[in-house]
Amino acid sequence: MENTANYIFLATIIAICLLTLRIMRHPKAVSVRDPGEAIVEFGNVFPDEAVRSVLMDKEGRTTFMRLADGKTGLTQVVGKTYVVRLIQPGEIGVSLTDDGAGLILNFEEGSAIGGVYEFLEPQDAAEVSLWICGSFGLKMAETKDNV
């Protein structure tokens, strides 16, 4: 009986040590509310795109970037990594939430990053929607020029 108690005690100590090592080895998810990290990640994926303006959602998990050529970029924290994409005209539907402080993005291919994005201020949601709509206007102008 004494041996059983010793084994249980030893197993508990080993389990606590393993849990502590696991926590120390795997830090929490990527830090949020840091647009600098998002810009760096976006630059790694799209090195030829110059970022002009940056706005983050309320949670700080999604960063929207207005690019120098009028397009819009998006960087979103997913677990311990980022999803980075260039929003192309025609692949997304955009609408405002009822309170006006958020955007509802619906990607054509049913992407996991579509959904509702709340902002600290309604002006931020309006600004990002203008960026996205502006990229649509650029695409329409290019199409018209090529006709």
Side-chain angles (χ1 to χ4, degrees), residues 4-115:
T4 305
N6 287 338
Y7 288 128
I8 292 173
F9 177 73
L10 185 58
T12 304
I13 297 296
I14 291 172
I16 290 171
C17 289
L18 290 174
L19 182 62
T20 303
L21 284 174
R22 182 178 171 90
I23 290 171
M24 290 175 67
R25 191 176 321 169
H26 299 291
K28 291 184 179 181
V30 177
S31 62
V32 294
R33 300 294 317 156
D34 183 7
E37 281 185 62
I39 292 170
V40 168
E41 289 296 324
F42 187 83
N44 288 336
V45 176
F46 298 105
D48 296 335
E49 299 291 343
V51 177
R52 189 172 179 184
S53 299
V54 175
L55 283 171
M56 297 184 83
D57 69 344
K58 189 187 289 187
E59 292 180 342
R61 302 188 68 76
T62 306
T63 305
F64 294 90
M65 289 162 261
R66 180 179 184 198
L67 306 177
D69 58 1
K71 293 184 272 186
T72 305
L74 181 143
T75 305
Q76 185 175 42
V77 174
V78 178
K80 296 179 184 176
T81 188
Y82 284 93
V83 171
V84 180
R85 74 182 300 158
L86 195 59
I87 297 174
Q88 300 292 334
E91 72 172 12
I92 186 172
V94 182
S95 57
L96 289 172
T97 57
D98 291 337
D99 63 0
L103 288 178
I104 303 167
L105 302 181
N106 296 310
F107 286 90
E108 217 171 64
E109 79 275 353
S111 172
I113 64 171

